[in-house]
Amino acid sequence: MKKAKIYLYCLCMAIMMLLMSSNVYGATLKSATVSKTKTYRWDLTHDGKADSVKFVIAKDNYNMINNLQIHVNGKKAYSISDLYVYRIQIQYVKISNSKEFLYVVGRGDSNTPYIRKIFRYDTASQKLVEAADLSQYSGAVRGIKKVSGNRLTIAYECGISLAGRIKWNYIYEYNSAKKKFILKSSTAAVKCAFTYDPGDGYTSYFKKNMYKTAKYITVYSDKLCTKNRSVIPAGKWMTMNKVFVNKTGKMSIQFKYGNKTVWIPCTTGAYGSFQGVNRRLAGGFFG
């Protein structure tokens, strides 16, 4: 009986170690910038073995990348032309031996991406096909921050006239039936990303997500900014809570004001709504 208990204990410990090992080493995230023709050894064909993944770029007379090809094991799996970008950034994502992906971003003037997609390799067609398109977020996506199980944590950061430099994370989960990454929620907690301090006394407040109205601001009770319109006067403190971005890229921010929460649309007309924001945006101090 004693030997049986010891055996069962050892077996349980072995299973626990195997599970822990799978959680730690099952996911992989690697990043790189493609500046010339380069070959990587990553598994994309779902067989647990490293494949030859070659990125071929062509440049125009202005030294801008205008063509990208991705070859997997010597065969062209993806091609895009008519680009006008100065760099191609990539991230290799491995969730398991049967789920590997490439996140490809091409950045052009004003850091605007002309391609921002996550691809998976289709073994039948031997092509890279779209698993997620993040293009609607313009220059806000900073890349895949974390891989956990079937989920990707994708970091976002951008400068808007309403609240200045802000950052947040979105969670995408892989749907095996659709073979795509699906956004879990278009609403997320948001933080002010200003670090520059011009000495006006507002940086310490921004670090706490606190904003003081510089003029009266029109607010709404819903994230689409269509219901229960009201006005908050100048000189009032508000705390930024959440960000919402719809499928067309329109954004709104939720603030706490007193005992209620309100939403403000992020439009060009919002410029100058809060004290201290303009000074930092105008100076380009996005820190």
Side-chain angles (χ1 to χ4, degrees):
M1 181 64 71
K2 188 175 181 180
K3 289 183 178 180
K5 288 183 178 179
I6 294 174
Y7 173 78
L8 288 174
Y9 173 79
C10 293
L11 180 61
C12 290
M13 289 298 295
I15 292 173
M16 287 178 65
M17 291 298 293
L18 179 61
L19 290 173
M20 289 174 65
S21 174
S22 298
N23 288 335
V24 174
Y25 300 108
T28 303
L29 179 62
K30 297 180 180 180
S31 304
T33 297
V34 179
S35 58
K36 58 183 179 180
T37 300
K38 193 168 184 177
T39 301
Y40 296 87
R41 301 294 296 176
W42 293 331
D43 178 26
L44 285 181
T45 58
H46 326 305
D47 60 1
K49 301 177 182 178
D51 298 298
S52 168
V53 185
K54 186 176 182 180
F55 296 83
V56 181
I57 60 175
K59 296 185 176 182
D60 61 16
N61 294 332
Y62 300 97
N63 205 35
M64 298 292 284
I65 299 171
N66 59 7
N67 185 278
L68 167 68
Q69 292 184 8
I70 304 176
H71 297 250
V72 178
N73 295 330
K75 295 184 179 181
K76 185 169 66 176
Y78 179 76
S79 177
I80 184 171
S81 57
D82 295 326
L83 290 172
Y84 191 73
V85 300
Y86 50 81
R87 73 174 180 268
I88 302 290
Q89 293 176 301
I90 53 175
Q91 285 184 293
Y92 167 71
V93 183
K94 179 181 178 181
I95 292 178
S96 68
N97 283 343
S98 60
K99 298 184 180 70
E100 305 88 11
F101 308 91
L102 279 180
Y103 171 52
V104 181
V105 178
R107 299 192 181 278
D109 291 339
S110 301
N111 213 30
T112 302
Y114 285 78
I115 175 177
R116 174 171 277 131
K117 294 185 178 183
I118 299 175
F119 295 98
R120 65 173 180 83
Y121 186 81
D122 181 72
T123 53
S125 64
Q126 296 185 329
K127 300 291 183 182
L128 287 168
V129 297
E130 183 182 306
D133 186 359
L134 309 179
S135 302
Q136 70 268 33
Y137 300 109
S138 186
V141 186
R142 288 295 170 263
I144 300 170
K145 183 178 180 180
K146 180 181 176 182
V147 182
S148 178
N150 281 341
R151 293 187 174 187
L152 303 180
T153 299
I154 299 182
Y156 292 74
E157 185 173 332
C158 69
I160 55 174
S161 58
L162 174 65
R165 201 73 186 171
I166 60 172
K167 59 183 178 180
W168 70 97
N169 294 328
Y170 269 160
I171 305 298
Y172 286 78
E173 187 171 69
Y174 188 69
N175 185 304
S176 296
K178 296 182 179 180
K179 296 184 178 180
K180 288 183 177 293
F181 284 98
I182 308 299
L183 178 64
K184 294 294 291 181
S185 175
S186 55
T187 303
V190 65
K191 291 287 292 182
C192 180
F194 278 139
T195 58
Y196 170 70
D197 189 352
D200 57 7
Y202 287 104
T203 298
S204 61
Y205 292 105
F206 289 143
K207 289 180 179 179
K208 300 175 184 178
N209 271 11
M210 295 177 64
Y211 292 77
K212 188 176 183 179
T213 56
K215 58 183 181 180
Y216 77 87
I217 299 180
T218 301
V219 299
Y220 302 84
S221 64
D222 68 311
K223 61 187 178 183
L224 297 177
C225 298
T226 59
K227 300 177 182 178
N228 301 323
R229 176 180 173 182
S230 60
V231 173
I232 295 177
K236 301 297 181 180
W237 285 98
M238 303 175 68
T239 302
M240 182 173 63
N241 287 336
K242 298 179 180 180
V243 62
F244 165 74
V245 187
N246 70 8
K247 292 182 179 180
T248 63
K250 290 185 178 180
M251 181 188 297
S252 60
I253 303 289
Q254 184 197 72
F255 288 84
K256 184 176 181 180
Y257 175 63
N259 294 323
K260 63 180 181 179
T261 56
V262 295
W263 290 87
I264 306 175
C266 298
T267 63
T268 54
Y271 190 77
S273 295
F274 293 107
Q275 295 184 22
V277 172
N278 284 10
R279 186 174 184 181
R280 289 162 175 78
L281 285 178
F285 299 103
F286 294 156

mmCIF file of all heavy atoms in Angstrom, residues 121-139:
data_model
loop_
_atom_site.group_PDB
_atom_site.id
_atom_site.type_symbol
_atom_site.label_atom_id
_atom_site.label_comp_id
_atom_site.label_asym_id
_atom_site.label_seq_id
_atom_site.Cartn_x
_atom_site.Cartn_y
_atom_site.Cartn_z
ATOM 1 N N TYR A 121 -0.740 30.007 -41.772
ATOM 2 C CA TYR A 121 -0.371 29.265 -42.977
ATOM 3 C C TYR A 121 -1.402 28.178 -43.240
ATOM 4 O O TYR A 121 -1.693 27.353 -42.372
ATOM 5 C CB TYR A 121 1.013 28.645 -42.823
ATOM 6 C CG TYR A 121 1.526 27.979 -44.076
ATOM 7 C CD1 TYR A 121 2.097 28.735 -45.096
ATOM 8 C CD2 TYR A 121 1.447 26.603 -44.238
ATOM 9 C CE1 TYR A 121 2.575 28.135 -46.249
ATOM 10 C CE2 TYR A 121 1.918 25.989 -45.382
ATOM 11 C CZ TYR A 121 2.478 26.761 -46.391
ATOM 12 O OH TYR A 121 2.947 26.163 -47.539
ATOM 13 N N ASP A 122 -1.969 28.192 -44.450
ATOM 14 C CA ASP A 122 -2.943 27.186 -44.857
ATOM 15 C C ASP A 122 -2.202 26.102 -45.637
ATOM 16 O O ASP A 122 -1.663 26.351 -46.724
ATOM 17 C CB ASP A 122 -4.026 27.825 -45.738
ATOM 18 C CG ASP A 122 -5.075 26.815 -46.176
ATOM 19 O OD1 ASP A 122 -5.877 26.404 -45.327
ATOM 20 O OD2 ASP A 122 -5.062 26.448 -47.362
ATOM 21 N N THR A 123 -2.166 24.909 -45.078
ATOM 22 C CA THR A 123 -1.388 23.832 -45.692
ATOM 23 C C THR A 123 -1.969 23.359 -47.018
ATOM 24 O O THR A 123 -1.237 22.885 -47.890
ATOM 25 C CB THR A 123 -1.286 22.633 -44.725
ATOM 26 O OG1 THR A 123 -2.603 22.258 -44.297
ATOM 27 C CG2 THR A 123 -0.455 22.997 -43.507
ATOM 28 N N ALA A 124 -3.276 23.482 -47.196
ATOM 29 C CA ALA A 124 -3.913 23.033 -48.440
ATOM 30 C C ALA A 124 -3.506 23.915 -49.617
ATOM 31 O O ALA A 124 -3.121 23.426 -50.679
ATOM 32 C CB ALA A 124 -5.424 23.023 -48.276
ATOM 33 N N SER A 125 -3.605 25.230 -49.429
ATOM 34 C CA SER A 125 -3.274 26.163 -50.506
ATOM 35 C C SER A 125 -1.812 26.576 -50.495
ATOM 36 O O SER A 125 -1.317 27.164 -51.456
ATOM 37 C CB SER A 125 -4.137 27.413 -50.393
ATOM 38 O OG SER A 125 -3.858 28.110 -49.187
ATOM 39 N N GLN A 126 -1.110 26.261 -49.399
ATOM 40 C CA GLN A 126 0.287 26.655 -49.199
ATOM 41 C C GLN A 126 0.432 28.181 -49.279
ATOM 42 O O GLN A 126 1.400 28.701 -49.825
ATOM 43 C CB GLN A 126 1.202 25.964 -50.213
ATOM 44 C CG GLN A 126 1.236 24.457 -50.049
ATOM 45 C CD GLN A 126 2.247 23.792 -50.971
ATOM 46 O OE1 GLN A 126 2.527 24.263 -52.076
ATOM 47 N NE2 GLN A 126 2.797 22.682 -50.507
ATOM 48 N N LYS A 127 -0.556 28.868 -48.691
ATOM 49 C CA LYS A 127 -0.563 30.325 -48.665
ATOM 50 C C LYS A 127 -0.741 30.837 -47.238
ATOM 51 O O LYS A 127 -1.302 30.150 -46.377
ATOM 52 C CB LYS A 127 -1.694 30.879 -49.544
ATOM 53 C CG LYS A 127 -1.613 30.495 -51.015
ATOM 54 C CD LYS A 127 -0.437 31.170 -51.696
ATOM 55 C CE LYS A 127 -0.420 30.842 -53.189
ATOM 56 N NZ LYS A 127 0.761 31.453 -53.880
ATOM 57 N N LEU A 128 -0.283 32.046 -47.014
ATOM 58 C CA LEU A 128 -0.565 32.727 -45.757
ATOM 59 C C LEU A 128 -1.904 33.442 -45.906
ATOM 60 O O LEU A 128 -2.079 34.256 -46.816
ATOM 61 C CB LEU A 128 0.537 33.744 -45.432
ATOM 62 C CG LEU A 128 1.872 33.161 -44.970
ATOM 63 C CD1 LEU A 128 2.953 34.229 -44.958
ATOM 64 C CD2 LEU A 128 1.740 32.519 -43.596
ATOM 65 N N VAL A 129 -2.850 33.126 -45.038
ATOM 66 C CA VAL A 129 -4.183 33.720 -45.116
ATOM 67 C C VAL A 129 -4.446 34.526 -43.849
ATOM 68 O O VAL A 129 -3.860 34.297 -42.791
ATOM 69 C CB VAL A 129 -5.268 32.636 -45.298
ATOM 70 C CG1 VAL A 129 -5.067 31.894 -46.602
ATOM 71 C CG2 VAL A 129 -5.261 31.649 -44.131
ATOM 72 N N GLU A 130 -5.360 35.461 -43.963
ATOM 73 C CA GLU A 130 -5.629 36.401 -42.881
ATOM 74 C C GLU A 130 -6.299 35.736 -41.679
ATOM 75 O O GLU A 130 -7.301 35.051 -41.815
ATOM 76 C CB GLU A 130 -6.519 37.525 -43.415
ATOM 77 C CG GLU A 130 -6.821 38.630 -42.419
ATOM 78 C CD GLU A 130 -7.748 39.665 -43.017
ATOM 79 O OE1 GLU A 130 -7.418 40.196 -44.103
ATOM 80 O OE2 GLU A 130 -8.812 39.932 -42.414
ATOM 81 N N ALA A 131 -5.716 35.969 -40.494
ATOM 82 C CA ALA A 131 -6.320 35.500 -39.247
ATOM 83 C C ALA A 131 -6.847 36.676 -38.425
ATOM 84 O O ALA A 131 -7.651 36.477 -37.518
ATOM 85 C CB ALA A 131 -5.308 34.711 -38.426
ATOM 86 N N ALA A 132 -6.404 37.888 -38.751
ATOM 87 C CA ALA A 132 -6.914 39.100 -38.107
ATOM 88 C C ALA A 132 -6.407 40.310 -38.880
ATOM 89 O O ALA A 132 -5.275 40.316 -39.365
ATOM 90 C CB ALA A 132 -6.473 39.199 -36.652
ATOM 91 N N ASP A 133 -7.273 41.305 -39.014
ATOM 92 C CA ASP A 133 -6.911 42.557 -39.670
ATOM 93 C C ASP A 133 -7.056 43.686 -38.650
ATOM 94 O O ASP A 133 -8.146 43.966 -38.171
ATOM 95 C CB ASP A 133 -7.805 42.813 -40.877
ATOM 96 C CG ASP A 133 -7.367 44.043 -41.672
ATOM 97 O OD1 ASP A 133 -6.386 44.694 -41.274
ATOM 98 O OD2 ASP A 133 -8.016 44.343 -42.693
ATOM 99 N N LEU A 134 -5.945 44.335 -38.315
ATOM 100 C CA LEU A 134 -5.949 45.402 -37.317
ATOM 101 C C LEU A 134 -5.811 46.772 -37.960
ATOM 102 O O LEU A 134 -5.491 47.754 -37.288
ATOM 103 C CB LEU A 134 -4.811 45.180 -36.312
ATOM 104 C CG LEU A 134 -4.729 43.784 -35.680
ATOM 105 C CD1 LEU A 134 -3.548 43.717 -34.727
ATOM 106 C CD2 LEU A 134 -6.015 43.436 -34.959
ATOM 107 N N SER A 135 -6.082 46.856 -39.239
ATOM 108 C CA SER A 135 -5.850 48.088 -39.990
ATOM 109 C C SER A 135 -6.709 49.261 -39.534
ATOM 110 O O SER A 135 -6.338 50.419 -39.710
ATOM 111 C CB SER A 135 -6.084 47.849 -41.482
ATOM 112 O OG SER A 135 -5.246 46.836 -41.961
ATOM 113 N N GLN A 136 -7.897 48.976 -38.976
ATOM 114 C CA GLN A 136 -8.813 50.059 -38.628
ATOM 115 C C GLN A 136 -8.299 50.921 -37.486
ATOM 116 O O GLN A 136 -8.832 51.994 -37.221
ATOM 117 C CB GLN A 136 -10.201 49.514 -38.261
ATOM 118 C CG GLN A 136 -10.271 48.751 -36.946
ATOM 119 C CD GLN A 136 -10.068 47.268 -37.119
ATOM 120 O OE1 GLN A 136 -9.326 46.842 -37.998
ATOM 121 N NE2 GLN A 136 -10.736 46.471 -36.310
ATOM 122 N N TYR A 137 -7.235 50.461 -36.804
ATOM 123 C CA TYR A 137 -6.730 51.224 -35.669
ATOM 124 C C TYR A 137 -5.589 52.161 -36.048
ATOM 125 O O TYR A 137 -4.893 52.674 -35.182
ATOM 126 C CB TYR A 137 -6.290 50.276 -34.557
ATOM 127 C CG TYR A 137 -7.425 49.420 -34.058
ATOM 128 C CD1 TYR A 137 -7.482 48.067 -34.340
ATOM 129 C CD2 TYR A 137 -8.467 49.981 -33.328
ATOM 130 C CE1 TYR A 137 -8.545 47.286 -33.904
ATOM 131 C CE2 TYR A 137 -9.533 49.210 -32.895
ATOM 132 C CZ TYR A 137 -9.561 47.863 -33.180
ATOM 133 O OH TYR A 137 -10.616 47.090 -32.760
ATOM 134 N N SER A 138 -5.393 52.370 -37.348
ATOM 135 C CA SER A 138 -4.393 53.308 -37.842
ATOM 136 C C SER A 138 -3.040 53.039 -37.202
ATOM 137 O O SER A 138 -2.566 51.921 -37.187
ATOM 138 C CB SER A 138 -4.861 54.753 -37.589
ATOM 139 O OG SER A 138 -3.987 55.674 -38.183
ATOM 140 N N GLY A 139 -2.416 54.077 -36.639
ATOM 141 C CA GLY A 139 -1.075 53.914 -36.084
ATOM 142 C C GLY A 139 -1.053 53.551 -34.625
ATOM 143 O O GLY A 139 -0.020 53.640 -33.969
#
